[in-house]
Amino acid sequence: MLTHFIGGEPVVAGKAFPVHNPVTGTVIRQVCEADPEVVDRAVRAAREAAPGWAALPVAERAGWMRRLAEGIEDRFDALVAAEIADTGKPLDQTRTLDIPRGIANFRAFAEIAAQRPDDAFHLSGVLSYTVRRPLGVVAAIVPWNLPFLLMTWKLAPALVAGNAVVVKPSEHTPGTAAVFGEICAAVGLPPGVVNIIYGYGSAGRLLVEHPGVDAVTFTGSTGTGSAIMRAVADRVKPVSFELGGKNAGLVFADCDLDRAVEGTAKSVFTNGGQVCLCTERLYVQRPIFEEFCARLAVRALEVAPQPMISAEHRDKVLSYYALARSEGAKMLAGGGVPVFGDHRDSGYFVEPTVVTGLSEWSRFNREEIFGPVCHVAPFDTEAEAIDLANGSEYGLAATLWTGSLDRAHRVAQRLEAGLVWVNTWYLRDLRTPFGGVRLSGIGREGGVQSLDFYSEPTTITIKLEQPDA
């Protein structure tokens, strides 16, 4: 039984709910579900811890971030096992991306915070400077697709900025959060600075609406983000949202075709397409369209299927495969459920899929699917490609494949997205802003942008008296 972690201690409270392994569909653990009393207890623990944590010098809080990174290294194998059990991810991805990024998040924000200068402004006889103070208690609502990576992506800047945090991981993926609670206790983190509660959306709603919560950070669907905004509107709580995407990829005829096909296969099929940055809309310049489609379809058949997070999500993705057919799509690869002939047939798998032939205004091309699938369409001119890429309500990320440096700069600056990759995908510098426009989010995470969200500036102005001549 996974228990809540509140005030530095395990807390057994609330009824139990099951967690299923996506590979087999079997129940792998029972978890305590937070009720109103548990949520209130977690927020009160955070509020009691917040003043003392905020009073520590930044350098000291940065030192705690480094100790947490070391704690993650000490429990690396346990975190890998928990992540794989909850998500069904491949061992290689978990060992080389998900858990190492958690370590990197704590170390990066320790350095960014420790080295950040204060702002100061001078006028004749006047000095103005700013100091930053933490928000207080932050609610962090974490998704299921990259549970450990994204939990630490929120925790590290929130903590080093001086806040106490209450984390609610997804009901599908509580395992790594539970191990992290053990790490917090093992390194001696002051009780109440990090609190972890479990439950469904109802627990998340109780948390974000709690009057003791000062700000909310959330990664997940646009619909849930909108619901959180409504829930916190009366108290005007700050929110940081990284939401959905319907990301576009542009492939120009002057690209390195081998590199573009391989890079696009990664941007479509990685993690079963269950990454907010994955590409679902592809636009390929007409001279290479047929060859690109044929080669991407071959790659789709070569990719090992990965499970969807739940039976419900598998059914959602399959419903979009059926929708594509009903809207008149041509299936170039996939479109169904793989058959393994072993225990995986009880899991939540779908086939990596490539489709073409649909209108830009089809539901398939307008709505986020969040699975291993993309639609491919041709374009003729650069201007047309830009219009197609920008023709979405979302604006999180885009990829651009070209051999022209001039075009790379020219087109990238006209794409209405928070992130644009040129001849690559998912290459990250943790100091840079991360986030989307339109329905893809509010605000930016990463580097000083994260620290800015998790703290408030106060401007202090002093009139300097001039000595008598």
Side-chain angles (χ1 to χ4, degrees):
M1 172 78 76
L2 291 191
T3 63
H4 311 291
F5 180 75
I6 299 174
E9 298 179 344
V11 173
V12 180
K15 61 184 180 181
F17 68 91
V19 173
H20 295 80
N21 181 295
V23 175
T24 64
T26 57
V27 174
I28 55 172
R29 59 171 60 96
Q30 298 288 329
V31 185
C32 290
E33 181 180 359
D35 56 22
E37 290 73 23
V38 168
V39 173
D40 185 64
R41 181 172 174 178
V43 175
R44 283 191 287 108
R47 294 213 72 81
E48 290 171 5
W53 181 251
L56 296 178
V58 172
E60 191 169 340
R61 293 197 298 266
W64 280 108
M65 300 305 100
R66 298 185 189 99
R67 286 193 280 277
L68 287 171
E70 293 168 359
I72 294 170
E73 290 177 328
D74 291 341
R75 298 295 304 279
F76 191 89
D77 289 341
L79 288 161
V80 167
E83 185 94 352
I84 291 174
D86 282 354
T87 66
K89 292 178 181 177
L91 176 63
D92 181 66
Q93 176 184 324
T94 309
R95 292 189 66 87
T96 60
L97 172 63
D98 296 271
I99 309 307
R101 258 294 300 275
I103 298 168
N105 286 337
F106 280 107
R107 288 192 170 137
F109 281 107
E111 299 308 316
I112 292 167
Q115 297 175 16
R116 184 181 188 182
D118 293 326
D119 293 326
F121 306 89
H122 297 267
L123 292 172
S124 178
V126 178
L127 169 65
S128 296
Y129 64 96
T130 59
V131 295
R132 301 196 72 92
R133 64 188 73 251
L135 300 176
V137 174
V138 175
I141 312 296
V142 182
W144 47 256
N145 59 328
L146 300 167
F148 189 71
L149 187 159
L150 290 175
M151 179 182 70
T152 56
W153 179 239
K154 297 177 183 299
L155 271 173
L159 293 174
V160 80
N163 301 281
V165 184
V166 181
V167 179
K168 193 203 85 67
S170 166
E171 65 272 20
H172 298 296
T173 53
T176 49
V179 177
F180 185 74
E182 296 170 1
I183 291 169
C184 291
V187 303
L189 190 72
V193 171
V194 171
N195 307 274
I196 303 167
I197 62 173
Y198 306 106
Y200 296 95
S202 56
R205 184 176 185 89
L206 288 169
L207 178 59
V208 301
E209 290 181 343
H210 196 287
V213 167
D214 298 298
V216 177
T217 176
F218 168 74
T219 297
S221 72
T222 299
T224 302
S226 297
I228 292 174
M229 285 191 73
R230 290 191 293 271
V232 304
D234 287 347
R235 292 184 175 270
V236 200
K237 295 179 183 180
V239 294
S240 175
F241 288 163
E242 193 268 283
L243 306 177
K246 191 72 176 176
N247 304 313
L250 301 182
V251 184
F252 286 89
D254 63 0
C255 72
D256 179 328
L257 190 56
D258 292 340
R259 187 177 179 186
V261 170
E262 190 58 32
T264 298
K266 291 178 181 178
S267 76
V268 174
F269 304 126
T270 292
N271 205 45
Q274 298 169 114
V275 179
C276 57
L277 303 168
C278 278
T279 306
E280 292 193 6
R281 297 181 297 133
L282 272 170
Y283 304 103
V284 182
Q285 202 158 24
R286 200 172 299 274
I288 62 170
F289 177 75
E290 295 296 337
E291 182 179 0
F292 183 92
C293 287
R295 293 176 63 171
L296 186 62
V298 169
R299 290 294 291 116
L301 297 174
E302 295 170 344
V303 169
Q306 294 189 35
M308 302 297 94
I309 192 63
S310 65
E312 179 185 20
H313 188 59
R314 173 202 59 199
D315 293 345
K316 174 194 170 184
V317 174
L318 289 174
S319 76
Y320 277 97
Y321 290 3
L323 175 65
R325 290 188 177 93
S326 70
E327 291 182 324
K330 178 181 178 182
M331 293 282 179
L332 300 179
V337 176
V339 176
F340 300 100
D342 56 29
H343 62 281
R344 291 172 292 176
D345 290 337
S346 298
Y348 309 140
F349 291 87
V350 300
E351 291 178 334
T353 298
V354 180
V355 307
T356 190
L358 292 178
S359 160
E360 284 303 298
W361 297 101
S362 65
R363 279 184 54 206
F364 189 91
N365 276 329
R366 307 302 295 177
E367 300 174 9
E368 182 182 37
I369 301 170
F370 218 60
V373 58
C374 66
H375 179 271
V376 194
F379 70 86
D380 292 300
T381 68
E382 184 178 296
E384 180 188 6
I386 293 168
D387 287 344
L388 288 167
N390 291 339
S392 171
E393 293 182 301
Y394 297 96
L396 182 56
T399 55
L400 168 60
W401 302 91
T402 178
S404 166
L405 182 61
D406 289 340
R407 172 178 282 135
H409 285 290
R410 186 171 61 240
V411 174
Q413 293 178 36
R414 293 184 61 191
L415 294 178
E416 296 169 1
L419 303 96
V420 179
W421 282 290
V422 178
N423 295 332
T424 189
W425 177 73
Y426 208 74
L427 184 61
R428 293 281 293 117
D429 182 329
L430 303 186
R431 298 169 296 180
T432 61
F434 179 95
V437 301
R438 301 175 182 164
L439 294 182
S440 289
I442 296 175
R444 292 293 183 273
E445 296 178 317
V448 296
Q449 285 77 20
S450 284
L451 300 181
D452 285 348
F453 172 72
Y454 291 114
S455 61
E456 293 278 13
T458 296
T459 299
I460 300 170
T461 299
I462 299 175
K463 185 175 180 357
L464 304 176
E465 297 297 334
Q466 301 299 318
D468 295 333

